[in-house]
Amino acid sequence: MQSEDGTGLTSAVLRALYEVPDDEWLDTTLLVEALRKNLPTHEARLIELLLLQILDQAALILAEYQAADVETSPKTGRTHDHILLDILGIKRASDGSDDTPLPGTRLRLTPLGRHGLREYLLAEGIPAPLIGELADADAPTLLEALLDYDPTSAHTEITGWINHRGQGPAAVQLIDACAGLEADAALRRLSAAPVLAELNEPRALAVLRKAAASQVPGCAQSAAIALARRGEIPEEHGPELQLWELIDQLWGPLGVADEALSAFLDQEGDKVIPLLEQTADDLWRCDHPATRTILEATGRHLKTRNKALAKRLRKSATKVGSQRRQ
């Protein structure tokens, strides 16, 4: 149930439990519903029944050791019975709720349980961020660590990091961390976007405007993009900024591994694919040094899922640099 790299089903369950904010509950039925998604129906029901039974047993053990508060619904048994009947193909009288998951066991980690679970996850090599642990970290460390955070935890960590040093100094440190055009720097810029979006004080905005007007690669574009998202497009930048940002977003994952780019396209496809559709024929004009590499790699990854778009991207890649050759 768990792969060697710690990304299996067990790690998904444990990480989901750990990510539930303090004093909030995790419903095991809803968690299992999410984990069984996209599996063949019969296989999914078997896994659902097995996991619910395991999680219910685990909940009792956690409660016994005061690692979690547990609430069991009176309908929990019905949930298991319904699943078992479905697996056996036995028809049952409809009660009007067959399509709605019945309540299951709910868990809420105690402070002791959260500490113990975090120690276990870390020992297994599974990321387990501790909110507030990055307050004293420098900007590059913060941005690299945020890649392993869920959105809610990331927002909490970002807010604490900014408040710890003030918006002006935070802006300076963040923009400095965005410098460079290598793939590692692109990853930092990908993490920096939501942090920069939190800056709204005059001193911080002044830092962004100064950086946007600079000629420092990476810094200038990151600052300009942050300002553009506020409706303020710096004079030094124009429509090409959107092309640069799109290439840069793809460059970071590709620098990690070819598979990372594919995963990024899967996770962010709803946002990225429409942008690629709109700009595919113009992306070759982007002056980002990774433009050709990104167009070729993205075209290759999209070949099976969007053949027409993949062809446009590869065609655009052949034009990269043509303006400079004229």
Side-chain angles (χ1 to χ4, degrees), residues 33-296:
E33 281 287 320
L35 292 173
R36 66 185 283 274
K37 189 177 181 181
N38 299 324
L39 289 174
T41 302
H42 189 71
E43 179 183 344
R45 298 301 268 174
L46 282 169
I47 290 177
E48 184 176 3
L49 180 61
L50 176 62
L51 281 176
L52 281 174
Q53 291 175 334
I54 292 173
L55 286 168
D56 288 349
Q57 185 63 35
L60 294 176
I61 296 173
L62 290 171
E64 182 179 351
Y65 287 92
Q66 299 184 333
D69 299 321
V70 176
E71 287 186 355
T72 302
S73 167
K75 296 182 179 180
T76 297
R78 285 180 56 205
T79 301
H80 295 192
D81 292 343
H82 282 196
I83 296 171
L84 181 58
L85 290 174
D86 281 346
I87 293 172
L88 297 175
I90 299 174
K91 301 292 184 181
R92 62 182 185 275
S94 175
D95 59 6
S97 62
D98 289 351
D99 295 330
T100 303
L102 294 170
T105 300
R106 297 201 311 162
L107 293 84
R108 181 175 61 186
L109 286 175
T110 64
L112 174 64
R114 183 169 297 279
H115 173 77
L117 180 53
R118 181 171 188 267
E119 292 297 312
Y120 173 80
L121 291 172
L122 292 175
E124 293 295 311
I126 303 169
L130 180 65
I131 300 304
E133 66 178 350
L134 295 173
D136 292 320
D138 58 23
T141 301
L142 170 75
L143 298 179
E144 290 169 9
L146 288 178
L147 294 170
D148 291 325
Y149 279 62
D150 65 279
T152 301
S153 297
H155 183 267
T156 302
E157 192 68 66
I158 288 167
T159 302
W161 188 87
I162 293 174
N163 292 340
H164 188 66
R165 52 194 37 77
Q167 288 208 7
V172 173
Q173 294 176 40
L174 288 168
I175 289 299
D176 286 345
C178 290
L181 295 177
E182 67 279 3
D184 286 348
L187 274 180
R188 291 195 296 272
R189 288 190 289 273
L190 193 60
S191 285
V195 191
L196 292 171
E198 295 290 327
L199 304 178
N200 53 22
E201 294 181 1
R203 187 178 174 187
L205 296 178
V207 171
L208 296 182
R209 294 184 186 108
K210 183 177 179 179
S214 73
Q215 300 296 317
V216 181
C219 293
Q221 290 86 355
S222 294
I225 289 166
L227 291 170
R229 286 176 175 161
R230 295 179 171 280
E232 179 183 336
I233 301 178
E235 295 180 1
E236 300 81 3
H237 302 271
E240 77 285 348
L241 192 62
Q242 182 186 36
L243 304 181
W244 198 97
E245 180 184 15
L246 181 55
I247 293 294
D248 203 53
Q249 286 179 335
L250 298 169
W251 178 220
L254 180 60
V256 174
D258 207 48
E259 296 78 8
L261 174 60
S262 182
F264 182 79
L265 289 171
D266 288 339
Q267 295 167 4
E268 303 293 332
D270 291 344
K271 300 176 184 177
V272 175
I273 301 300
L275 289 175
L276 288 171
E277 291 274 11
Q278 296 169 18
T279 60
D281 302 323
D282 294 316
L283 278 169
W284 64 273
R285 303 177 187 275
C286 180
D287 63 357
H288 195 297
T291 298
R292 180 190 292 276
T293 301
I294 289 301
L295 292 176
E296 292 174 344

